[in-house]
Amino acid sequence: MTATAQENAIAVADAFLAQSEIPLYINGAWKPARDGKTFEVRRPSTGERLATISSAGAADVDEAVQAARSAFPAWSDLDTRDRAVLLHRLADAMERDQDVLASLESRNIGKSLPEALDFDILFAAQGYRYFADLATHTTLSRPLPLANMEASQVHRPRGVCGFVIPWNAPSILTVWGIAPALAAGNTVVLKPAELAPLSVIYLARLAEEVGFPSGVINVVTGLGSEAGDALANHPGLNYISFTGSPQTGKLVAEAAARNLVPSKMELGGKGAAVIFPDIDVKDTAEKLGMAIVRNAGQTCCTATRWFIHDDVYDDLVSASVDFLERIRLGPDTDHATQLGAVISEGQRSRIQSYLDQGLEQGATPLLEGGATQLPGLENGYYVSPVLMTGRPDNVCAREEIFGPVAYVMPFSDEADVIEQVNSSHYGLANSVWSEDLNRAYRVAERMVSGNSWINAHNVFAYGLPYGGVNLSGWGGGVNSQQTYLDYLRPMSVVRPLT
Ligand code: NAD
């Protein structure tokens, strides 16, 4: 990309942020909250205010749900191929404005522009294309072979789907939610996280530009306790998908259950990496190191518990410390930043509080890091990487910290390490590292979670199912053909022949 193109993209993002208030998007119109409330979004790299956003209340959420209800009949009656065309056009517009979106995402999340572009924006655009193509190639009606009856099973869209998402990957978590729902013919009301709504609002602009009909996509920015609560409790929903912490997930699932609304829960994790001695030490250290550094470790499925075989423990710990000591901690403006700021001062304090508690409970630091300041960026929310070790019942070995931290433990026995991995209440994703593929597959399948990776961690692809079990969620996960079917209700149609 040329310097001029990049300057232009930054200027477009600047103009977007400079609005006195960034409004809600309801029924194809941009409007402030009815009660005039707003909230501020901050830039993690510097702590400065980035934008002022309209803060939806229950009345705004209700208007959005009613708009989505009104838009549903026409949208669901469209030919699947016509909906797919719009999803492809949205992906086209995202790719055209990729640098604007990446600029917003990197400023809002604290990561570098190249990381936001490659990992967030371009991968998100692909997701709209995947579900557009999947919808056009999936046959949904099938005859049922019954005596004396002409019967079939068909699938119809559910209606209005609500989405509540967290702040750690807004573009990606938006597409993982709304793309299958829209492709299947549902209309959506989306509540982004109050800490990171910017790229999602810009996406709504693009959806409007490429011609999504009014009311098909509605974005209600606001606080969790207000807009999120109102959406979760709305009886006009036909489905709700929640991504976030198990604590909030329980509230959303309870609200949905009271209204008998089916729900999908994509929750937290405490991913394990099991490392056997037959590995390339340097390569593994770099890959596991990057797993806790990318997105500042704020990735639900990342490798936060490292079980290292005794025979390679010292070598791998030493290579990991060496790699992490050299990680470039920096602001979103530095393209070479490998570890950006965490999302907020609150998140930084939460991480530091876990580290303090872990040390009080007897953990030993292998690499001392934690909350830190960078010269000239004293108000940014920086945390340098941490490796610690200790007993398996330490709070840092059990709870989700959501920062650049890994808890390291030695092991010697395969069955024993599998039991330790499975002692977690979470069940999102784990990895196993070994050149012995028989062993790797054996261990991968015995670890209880939605996803097991071999010689890699954090592997995502459209068509590869991704989801959790136990405290990590329920409801079929995301990114697969099954996800598309989750947004359809099966029904039988029958004609007796006598
Ligand atoms: P969170 O649960 O605090 O918030 C998530 C969303 O819920 C936000 O939009 C928030 O405004 C909203 N919310 C808060 N209170 C609410 C309420 N009472 N009713 C309805 N909505 C409410 O989570 P977070 O701190 O934003 O995100 C981090 C968590 O998300 C971590 O646990 C992480 O592992 C998880 N996560 C999971 C996945 C996955 O795919 N499984 C992906 C990303 C993040």
Side-chain angles (χ1 to χ4, degrees):
M1 172 189 204
T2 65
T4 319
Q6 200 155 52
E7 277 163 23
N8 288 344
I10 289 173
V12 173
D14 284 343
F16 174 75
L17 296 172
Q19 299 171 75
S20 57
E21 173 180 342
I22 301 182
L24 313 174
Y25 184 60
I26 300 176
N27 205 16
W30 294 92
K31 44 176 80 177
R34 287 187 187 201
D35 62 8
K37 274 195 187 171
T38 59
F39 64 93
E40 289 194 342
V41 172
R42 303 210 156 261
R43 184 176 194 162
S45 290
T46 59
E48 72 199 359
R49 189 190 72 84
L50 258 184
T52 302
I53 317 279
S54 304
S55 186
D60 304 298
V61 170
D62 183 54
E63 189 184 340
V65 173
Q66 299 311 339
R69 292 208 81 76
S70 304
F72 175 69
W75 179 249
S76 57
D77 272 354
L78 271 187
D79 191 293
T80 306
R81 286 166 296 190
D82 292 330
R83 290 194 296 264
V85 166
L86 278 173
L87 289 166
H88 275 295
R89 285 196 185 137
L90 183 57
D92 292 343
M94 289 180 75
E95 286 164 3
R96 182 200 65 200
D97 283 5
Q98 56 183 262
D99 297 305
V100 179
L101 282 161
S103 169
L104 293 173
E105 200 82 313
S106 77
R107 286 193 238 189
N108 201 167
I109 309 295
K111 57 174 63 173
S112 75
L113 202 68
E115 186 183 335
L117 186 62
D118 290 342
F119 182 71
D120 296 79
I121 306 306
L122 296 178
F123 187 53
Q126 276 179 34
Y128 293 99
R129 299 196 191 285
Y130 169 74
F131 282 107
D133 293 343
L134 184 67
T136 48
H137 292 105
T138 303
T139 304
L140 290 173
S141 172
R142 72 184 171 99
L144 301 172
L146 300 176
N148 301 323
M149 291 182 194
E150 185 179 70
S152 60
Q153 188 181 50
V154 299
H155 289 79
R156 299 293 303 156
R158 290 177 177 276
V160 178
C161 300
F163 294 88
V164 179
I165 61 163
W167 43 261
N168 62 322
S171 296
I172 286 176
L173 299 172
T174 295
V175 63
W176 289 5
I178 72 170
L182 292 168
N186 302 281
T187 54
V188 307
V189 178
L190 171 63
K191 208 296 278 176
E194 50 271 51
L195 290 170
L198 298 176
S199 60
V200 182
I201 309 170
Y202 194 86
L203 181 87
R205 272 195 176 191
L206 297 181
E208 180 184 34
E209 179 200 319
V210 302
F212 275 84
S214 298
V216 169
I217 299 175
N218 304 275
V219 178
V220 283
T221 44
L223 307 186
S225 56
E226 296 175 2
D229 180 72
L231 186 58
N233 280 283
H234 204 292
L237 297 182
N238 300 99
Y239 194 86
I240 185 158
S241 162
F242 172 80
T243 310
S245 63
Q247 294 80 353
T248 314
K250 285 179 189 174
L251 297 177
V252 173
E254 277 168 18
R258 272 195 300 277
N259 290 326
L260 292 178
V261 170
S263 61
K264 186 187 274 292
M265 294 284 140
E266 306 296 332
L267 309 177
K270 190 73 188 172
V274 175
I275 304 120
F276 287 94
D278 52 342
I279 49 149
D280 177 330
V281 171
K282 188 164 173 282
D283 184 60
T284 307
E286 288 183 12
K287 287 180 176 153
L288 286 175
M290 282 314 293
I292 60 161
V293 162
R294 191 162 286 137
N295 221 28
Q298 303 162 122
T299 302
C300 46
C301 50
T302 207
T304 57
R305 294 181 291 157
W306 299 359
F307 293 97
I308 307 177
H309 194 278
D310 287 335
D311 292 351
V312 74
Y313 184 86
D314 289 341
D315 288 349
L316 187 59
V317 167
S318 144
S320 301
V321 168
D322 184 49
F323 176 73
L324 290 169
E325 274 175 345
R326 286 183 288 110
I327 280 294
R328 189 171 173 121
L329 178 65
D332 60 67
T333 44
D334 182 350
H335 287 201
T337 290
Q338 293 170 294
L339 170 58
V342 300
I343 189 74
S344 64
E345 185 52 48
Q347 182 63 15
R348 183 163 77 153
S349 311
R350 186 172 174 271
I351 294 167
Q352 190 57 49
S353 152
Y354 270 122
L355 297 176
D356 295 341
Q357 285 177 60
L359 294 179
E360 275 165 30
Q361 291 180 12
T364 308
L366 299 168
L367 174 64
E368 285 191 59
T372 187
Q373 286 192 332
L374 294 188
L377 296 164
E378 283 76 12
N379 294 323
Y381 318 131
Y382 295 96
V383 178
S384 59
V386 176
L387 282 187
M388 61 204 305
T389 187
R391 291 167 49 91
D393 58 354
N394 188 285
V395 66
C396 292
R398 288 182 290 107
E399 295 193 16
E400 185 181 37
I401 299 175
F402 227 48
V405 180
Y407 197 89
V408 178
M409 289 167 279
F411 79 91
S412 55
D413 177 71
E414 180 180 313
D416 182 52
V417 76
I418 293 171
E419 203 178 309
Q420 287 203 60
V421 169
N422 293 343
S423 69
S424 172
H425 296 302
Y426 289 101
L428 189 51
N430 302 305
S431 59
V432 53
W433 302 72
S434 173
E435 293 287 305
D436 175 349
L437 292 184
N438 286 331
R439 169 163 69 188
Y441 278 98
R442 188 170 65 232
V443 173
E445 289 178 20
R446 281 168 177 66
M447 295 190 289
V448 178
S449 72
N451 318 275
S452 264
W453 296 307
I454 294 175
N455 297 334
H457 205 104
N458 297 335
V459 182
F460 310 107
Y462 296 107
L464 180 67
Y466 173 77
V469 296
N470 302 332
L471 264 197
S472 297
W474 74 45
V478 295
N479 284 349
S480 68
Q481 187 167 29
Q482 178 58 46
T483 318
Y484 174 62
L485 296 177
D486 290 342
Y487 289 96
L488 292 157
R489 59 181 170 81
M491 65 183 290
S492 63
V493 178
V494 61
R495 180 170 68 101
L497 294 177
T498 50

